[in-house]
Amino acid sequence: MMGYTRTRSQTCLARVTGHQGGSQMKRSLGARTVLLPAPVLVVGTYDKEGRPNVMTVAWGGTCCSNPPCIDIALRKATYTYGNILDRKAFTVHVTPERYLTEADYFGIVSGRDVDKFAATGLTAERSEIVDAPYIKEFPFFVECALREVVELGLHTQFIGEIVDVKMDEDMLDDKGLPDVGRIRPTVMVPEIRNYYGFGEKLGDVFVMGRKLRVR
Amino acid sequence: MMGYTRTRSQTCLARVTGHQGGSQMKRSLGARTVLLPAPVLVVGTYDKEGRPNVMTVAWGGTCCSNPPCIDIALRKATYTYGNILDRKAFTVHVTPERYLTEADYFGIVSGRDVDKFAATGLTAERSEIVDAPYIKEFPFFVECALREVVELGLHTQFIGEIVDVKMDEDMLDDKGLPDVGRIRPTVMVPEIRNYYGFGEKLGDVFVMGRKLRVR
């Protein structure tokens, strides 16, 4: 795969001039899933026997503001895939730095073979509004009712309508919104397979760009 | 909206015990789009007259590994919405810190009213493989052919199959993959409406969690 990509890349070099005066070569990487950032989302479901499971996904995010919806994409081989089709519900947790090792573990092993709650010492609680469990110790999760199933290939996209968001009191700022500095959320870099924390605040949305408004 | 949410929240408090010995109150925030992180993706399209346009979206990400696919969600009111339906193609750029002001601007004004390339001094180039433009100065973009259109409500999700990824040579690491330290990609925090950079590397995917493997 790498050999193929490298060979192809070398035939696709094109010289372009950079914004900052330098010259850069654009290289073709091939059709690869290297978009940045990817999230670190922990999906909670019940299986047919009512056992709680969690798995970590990097393909997902918000996809509609009204009604508020989240999408996550899973391989059919995952235990969670069947659980969502059965239960028509799931939770999605944001992974804070302090639980990154657990979240990574949730992506390594299958709920078919292992009780991931027992293995990590984390606590499964039942959502009161959707048929799915959540991790009590995680600061932040979203409760979703299944709405759409989109078959794409290796992955199937599940779109869930957000029914509620629950967050630890001490993770909220003074406006009642998530406090990034306290939550310390994480991001994932696909293919290179690294996790990162959030860095410094760079600016305000729909404010930074106003200075470029000419009319 | 905030008043409603705050009132509802106060009736939904539930005491749970935290992992680290403390006690936390979980609060209901209502059905809100506060999942973290959101990306800062700049979508490039041509309009009916062949004029290039760019807009910035926070709802989107990778959604399938094979065939590699990206999803982005847009309101019908956007200029880009019609462009994608017409052209069946789009590009998606990762926003580096040094172009965050431009990317924010792309989300403030509409291509119906403004030539965003002229306003920012950035350069539109034609993709050689999909019917869409890209921003020459951005270090990193993905070329997509439209595959699925999923109507969700306020937003419509467009799923594009990744045809290729192009990246500036000097943004690649020694394995030919995106170098986060050089690209300096950005993330967005919805509702609070802040931008952040990436912070420190926290670990390796599918490695960190191995220590929790018990069998």
Side-chain angles (χ1 to χ4, degrees), chain A residues 86-212:
Chain A
D86 281 345
R87 299 280 181 158
K88 311 282 192 255
F90 55 92
T91 59
V92 179
H93 306 70
V94 170
T95 300
E97 289 185 17
R98 65 190 177 284
Y99 288 116
L100 188 55
T101 298
E102 285 85 350
D104 189 59
Y105 171 78
F106 295 153
I108 292 175
V109 294
S110 171
R112 260 188 213 94
D113 312 315
V114 183
D115 179 340
K116 300 186 197 179
F117 285 96
T120 56
L122 293 171
T123 314
E125 294 275 355
R126 176 175 288 280
S127 164
E128 291 177 7
I129 55 175
V130 298
D131 188 12
Y134 66 89
I135 306 171
K136 191 173 77 172
E137 292 85 355
F138 269 48
F140 180 3
F141 66 94
V142 181
E143 293 157 296
C144 295
L146 180 63
R147 183 171 149 187
E148 305 274 349
V149 180
V150 186
E151 296 292 347
L152 293 171
L154 182 62
H155 286 79
T156 300
Q157 187 186 55
F158 293 103
I159 298 176
E161 190 167 323
I162 301 172
V163 182
D164 198 8
V165 177
K166 299 287 196 315
M167 193 168 306
D168 285 340
E169 279 273 281
D170 59 5
M171 295 291 148
L172 295 164
D173 66 15
D174 54 9
K175 290 175 185 158
L177 288 168
D179 187 315
V180 169
R182 294 180 195 174
I183 296 169
R184 300 177 69 85
T186 52
V187 302
M188 202 273 265
V189 180
E191 300 219 19
I192 298 144
R193 296 190 169 181
N194 290 333
Y195 294 113
Y196 285 83
F198 275 37
E200 58 178 335
K201 182 184 160 182
L202 300 172
D204 294 306
V205 176
F206 300 154
V207 175
M208 285 182 82
R210 281 184 200 161
K211 67 176 110 167
L212 293 171

Side-chain angles (χ1 to χ4, degrees), chain A residues 42-87:
Chain A
V42 175
V43 178
T45 54
Y46 283 120
D47 72 6
K48 281 181 180 160
E49 285 73 44
R51 290 178 306 179
N53 186 43
V54 276
M55 79 167 287
T56 303
V57 304
W59 301 162
T62 305
C63 59
C64 187
S65 297
N66 188 14
C69 295
I70 285 177
D71 61 277
I72 54 168
L74 304 175
R75 289 174 297 111
K76 284 191 176 64
T78 62
Y79 200 50
T80 298
Y81 177 91
N83 291 354
I84 293 178
L85 287 179
D86 281 345
R87 299 280 181 158

Side-chain angles (χ1 to χ4, degrees), chain A residues 173 175 177-181 198-208, chain B residues 35-40 58 100 104 186-197:
Chain A
D173 66 15
K175 290 175 185 158
L177 288 168
D179 187 315
V180 169
F198 275 37
E200 58 178 335
K201 182 184 160 182
L202 300 172
D204 294 306
V205 176
F206 300 154
V207 175
M208 285 182 82
Chain B
L35 200 73
L36 295 175
V40 187
L100 188 55
D104 189 59
T186 52
V187 302
M188 201 272 265
V189 180
E191 300 219 21
I192 299 146
R193 296 190 170 181
N194 290 333
Y195 293 114
Y196 284 83

Side-chain angles (χ1 to χ4, degrees), chain A residues 19 24-25 27 99 168-169, chain B residues 19 24-25 99 168-169:
Chain A
H19 180 57
Q24 292 148 34
M25 304 289 279
R27 181 185 288 194
Y99 288 116
D168 285 340
E169 279 273 281
Chain B
H19 180 59
Q24 292 149 35
M25 304 290 278
Y99 288 116
D168 286 340
E169 278 273 282

